[in-house]
Amino acid sequence: MSPTPTPIICDTVAAARYVSVTPGTVRQWIRRGHVEHRGYDRAGRALVELREVRAYLAGRERSTT
């Protein structure tokens, strides 16, 4: 049995940079229910799990090709 990977939690700005989209795009994905937010940081930015953002984007790219 393989261990569950540790979640990588980051704010929308860092997640957006990692997947090369704008922070507004990540916020829209949260609003539309494609990505779940995991709380807020001290600056009030939504926190997301990076693997979930990558998985959503990968699935989205597959469906458009």
Side-chain angles (χ1 to χ4, degrees):
M1 191 165 146
S2 63
T4 304
T6 304
I8 302 170
I9 305 296
C10 60
D11 64 53
T12 53
V13 174
R17 282 188 191 137
Y18 190 79
V19 297
S20 300
V21 298
T22 67
T25 297
V26 176
R27 288 191 301 270
Q28 282 295 323
W29 293 344
I30 293 169
R31 283 188 203 106
R32 293 175 182 168
H34 302 301
V35 176
E36 184 179 342
H37 80 85
R38 311 292 177 143
Y40 298 94
D41 66 6
R42 290 181 184 172
R45 293 181 296 247
L47 299 173
V48 294
E49 208 282 313
L50 190 56
R51 287 186 187 96
E52 185 180 358
V53 173
R54 286 188 342 209
Y56 172 69
L57 184 60
R60 193 167 163 238
E61 288 174 346
R62 272 190 298 248
S63 68
T64 61
T65 57

